[in-house]
Amino acid sequence: MKQMLFIAGALWLTIALTSCNNATSKQDKPSPSTQQPQQKGNDTGKPSPNSVAQIMDKPEIPVLCYHRITEGKKGDYTVSPATFAAHIKILADSGYHAISPAQLYDYLVYNKSLPTKPVMVTFDDSREEHSAIAAPTLEKYGFRGVFFIMTITYDKENYMTKEQIAQLAKAGHTVGLHTWDHTMVTKYKTEEDWQKEIAQPKEKLEKITGKPVEYIAYPNGVYNHESAEKMSKYMKLSFSLSTKRDTLLPLQCIRRIIVPDMPAQSLLKSMRRNFK
């Protein structure tokens, strides 16, 4: 009888301890509602990219477009060296920070942060004064620019040499493409056109700079949906002018404004008016 009572007591103790342990285990394990959500991402470790709609909803960053920087010329595509220096000075004095296309891409696609009051300063057509005047002026204020190169022009009179282009990249500026000979992308009819105007010049610039060429400025700022879609196979970002954006391909139609020879204060007003 005593042996039976001992066995029954031992069995009861075992059941009690097991129930206690199960209760503790349930308390230690967090409920589904309190578990930390996993960050969206992919197998590369990067966060998932924004959708087209999310990119379109982001505030546009001011992007300035310069062409000629010289004395004695008139027109929307020319500023004097003094005007250009005044423009860059007022940007710096007003707290603006020059950003690169790589920073803009990460902001648009991955929500990376940008410095306060970001602006991008770009140059079209490979002019020699871009190396002699623009780059040193930018560097004086800690800025870096984006230089879109036509490869048909290098080593020609009044245009940058291959060595000057390479030096821009070495100094931290971005070298992008402006096609081979400035033919508008809407005029490309065959794959041979794309090879001559985009693929081959891109490869040449990459050999000159030793860096990937991932950004382009459309000649005359002109594009259409078909050409923008094709360009996305070559470039991460493509830059137009102040035209309506393609809502399906926002990365291939980044808006810029052409900067004429205007007072520095007028430049700030133009930026606020065009990029809201």
Side-chain angles (χ1 to χ4, degrees):
M1 183 66 178
K2 290 182 179 179
Q3 185 177 7
M4 291 179 65
L5 290 173
F6 176 78
I7 293 172
L11 181 60
W12 178 87
L13 181 61
T14 301
I15 293 172
L17 289 173
T18 302
S19 299
C20 183
N21 287 338
N22 286 340
T24 302
S25 177
K26 288 180 180 179
Q27 289 178 350
D28 290 342
K29 184 178 180 180
S31 65
S33 62
T34 61
Q35 290 184 30
Q36 292 296 321
Q38 291 184 346
Q39 184 178 8
K40 291 183 178 180
N42 50 44
D43 55 9
T44 66
K46 284 187 175 182
S48 296
N50 285 329
S51 67
V52 169
Q54 288 172 317
I55 293 172
M56 284 294 298
D57 284 343
K58 281 185 162 293
E60 290 184 272
I61 303 303
V63 184
L64 310 180
C65 175
Y66 290 91
H67 289 79
R68 300 288 305 273
I69 305 174
T70 188
E71 300 284 5
K73 297 285 185 180
K74 298 292 184 181
D76 290 342
Y77 290 84
T78 302
V79 301
S80 70
T83 294
F84 180 74
H87 286 180
I88 303 306
K89 183 179 187 301
I90 200 169
L91 289 174
D93 290 347
S94 301
Y96 282 91
H97 296 85
I99 65 167
S100 69
Q103 289 175 288
L104 179 61
Y105 180 86
D106 284 342
Y107 158 76
L108 292 172
V109 178
Y110 295 115
N111 298 319
K112 294 287 187 68
S113 61
L114 292 174
T116 56
K117 301 182 77 170
V119 63
M120 189 181 299
V121 188
T122 73
F123 304 85
D124 287 4
D125 296 347
S126 321
R127 298 290 305 183
E128 190 275 337
E129 63 260 27
H130 296 169
S131 172
I133 298 174
T137 302
L138 291 169
E139 292 166 15
K140 176 181 177 182
Y141 294 96
F143 284 14
R144 293 297 182 271
V146 189
F147 297 83
F148 293 112
I149 308 297
M150 294 185 296
T151 57
I152 196 174
T153 63
Y154 57 55
D155 292 332
K156 289 189 168 78
E157 186 178 3
N158 298 323
Y159 293 91
M160 282 190 281
T161 65
K162 290 190 287 289
E163 289 73 21
Q164 288 172 318
I165 295 169
Q167 180 56 39
L168 288 175
K170 185 178 180 180
H173 302 281
T174 300
V175 172
L177 182 63
H178 202 37
T179 75
W180 175 56
D181 65 354
H182 211 269
T183 299
M184 291 188 296
V185 297
T186 52
K187 294 184 177 181
Y188 303 169
K189 303 300 182 184
T190 66
E191 184 59 33
E192 286 72 23
D193 292 335
W194 283 91
Q195 288 295 313
K196 182 180 74 172
E197 293 288 345
I198 304 299
Q200 294 171 7
K202 179 180 188 294
E203 183 178 354
K204 288 180 180 178
L205 278 180
E206 288 174 341
K207 289 181 179 178
I208 291 171
T209 63
K211 297 181 179 182
V213 173
E214 301 174 311
Y215 315 103
I216 189 170
Y218 295 116
N220 297 331
V222 175
Y223 74 98
N224 57 22
H225 179 78
E226 291 73 24
S227 59
E229 187 172 36
K230 180 74 171 180
M231 193 66 75
S232 68
K233 303 181 189 306
Y234 294 96
M235 302 293 174
K236 294 172 72 172
L237 295 178
S238 300
F239 291 79
S240 61
L241 290 174
S242 53
T243 54
K244 187 176 180 180
R245 292 192 293 169
D246 187 316
T247 58
L248 298 179
L249 296 165
L251 298 180
Q252 301 305 318
C253 51
I254 306 298
R255 291 176 60 253
R256 303 184 295 166
I257 57 170
I258 294 175
V259 183
D261 200 302
M262 63 169 70
Q265 286 290 346
S266 297
L267 172 63
L268 297 182
K269 292 178 182 178
S270 179
M271 289 166 58
R272 289 192 289 266
R273 185 171 62 250
N274 284 281
F275 301 96
K276 297 179 180 179

